[in-house]
Amino acid sequence: MSQSYLIRSVEPSDAAAIHRIKTAPGVYPDTLQLPHQPLSVTEKQLNERPANIHNLVACADGEVVGSAGLIVNEGMRVRHSADLFLVVRDDWQGKGVGGALMRAVVDLADNWLGLIRIELKVIHDNARAIALYEKFGFEYEGRLRQEQLRAGKLEDVLVMGRLNWPGRAEA
C-alpha cells in the first residue's frame, strides 16, 4: 500500500522537526551534519533562508518526516544548475518519503525554475539513496576520494548529476 504525503514549503515553525531529522543517529552519518548540533542552528537556517534555497518538507499525519530542496547556483554562468539535498526521518526511511520529495523537487526544477542541471553528493555506501537518485535520472559523474569524515574514518563521496536540457535532442 502506497502512502501519500503532503509536500509543502518549509516554514520556520518546522525547525524542531527538521532538527530531529538531521540529528538522528540513523541520518546524520550519511550527511555533512554534525551530531549534537543545537536547535538554534536549524532555526537560524530557516529564519535566514536566502531566495536561492527552495526547501520542501514531506508531512505524514501532521508531522514533518522529510525535507528536500535545491540550492540554485547564483553565478551568472551557472544559474541553470542547483545542488540537491534530501533527508528523511530514520523511522520513515523506506516508506516512499524520499520518492515523494524527489518527485516534487524534480518538478520544481524542471517546470518552475527552468533548471537544466541538478547535482548532488552522496556517501559511497548509501545504496538506498543512490538507487533513489538513479530512479530519478541521476547518473554517476565521479568519486571524491576521502572527501567526508564519518565516525573517525575518511569516506569516499560520489558525485551524481541529472540533466534536463529541453531541445538538446534537436541540437
Side-chain angles (χ1 to χ4, degrees), residues 78-99:
V78 290
R79 288 185 182 167
H80 64 281
S81 65
D83 293 308
L84 179 131
F85 60 90
L86 171 71
V87 289
V88 175
R89 206 168 84 186
D90 49 1
D91 58 333
W92 280 86
Q93 292 176 9
K95 297 180 181 180
V97 177

Side-chain angles (χ1 to χ4, degrees), residues 93-161:
Q93 292 176 9
K95 297 180 181 180
V97 177
L101 284 164
M102 286 295 295
R103 274 187 293 285
V105 166
V106 166
D107 176 65
L108 179 65
D110 292 351
N111 298 313
W112 300 99
L113 297 175
L115 297 176
I116 293 171
R117 176 178 173 75
I118 307 172
E119 53 197 55
L120 61 87
K121 291 180 180 178
V122 59
I123 199 152
H124 69 96
D125 61 359
N126 191 343
R128 183 182 279 171
I130 293 166
L132 177 66
Y133 300 140
E134 288 174 339
K135 179 179 174 183
F136 283 89
F138 284 81
E139 297 177 9
Y140 172 82
E141 293 184 337
R143 185 180 200 100
L144 303 173
R145 295 174 48 209
Q146 298 185 357
E147 162 85 352
Q148 180 174 327
L149 184 65
R150 177 175 65 175
K153 182 179 177 202
L154 288 170
E155 300 282 358
D156 291 359
V157 170
L158 306 182
V159 177
M160 299 182 78

Side-chain angles (χ1 to χ4, degrees), residues 45 61 65 139:
Q45 288 170 342
D61 303 322
V65 296
E139 297 177 9

Side-chain angles (χ1 to χ4, degrees), residues 11-128:
E11 297 291 339
S13 60
D14 296 323
I18 291 182
H19 180 261
R20 174 184 175 196
I21 295 168
K22 292 189 327 184
T23 60
V27 175
Y28 75 78
D30 289 328
T31 72
L32 291 175
Q33 302 298 316
L34 292 173
H36 317 298
Q37 187 176 38
L39 173 59
S40 62
V41 171
T42 304
E43 290 172 336
K44 183 176 180 179
Q45 288 170 342
L46 295 184
N47 285 321
E48 299 176 10
R49 186 169 36 126
N52 69 314
I53 298 179
H54 303 276
N55 192 348
L56 304 175
V57 292
C59 300
D61 303 322
E63 286 187 85
V64 173
V65 296
S67 176
L70 299 165
I71 303 170
V72 178
N73 292 309
E74 295 182 292
M76 291 297 291
R77 294 171 47 189
V78 290
R79 288 185 182 167
H80 64 281
S81 65
D83 293 308
L84 179 131
F85 60 90
L86 171 71
V87 289
V88 175
R89 206 168 84 186
D90 49 1
D91 58 333
W92 280 86
Q93 292 176 9
K95 297 180 181 180
V97 177
L101 284 164
M102 286 295 295
R103 274 187 293 285
V105 166
V106 166
D107 176 65
L108 179 65
D110 292 351
N111 298 313
W112 300 99
L113 297 175
L115 297 176
I116 293 171
R117 176 178 173 75
I118 307 172
E119 53 197 55
L120 61 87
K121 291 180 180 178
V122 59
I123 199 152
H124 69 96
D125 61 359
N126 191 343
R128 183 182 279 171

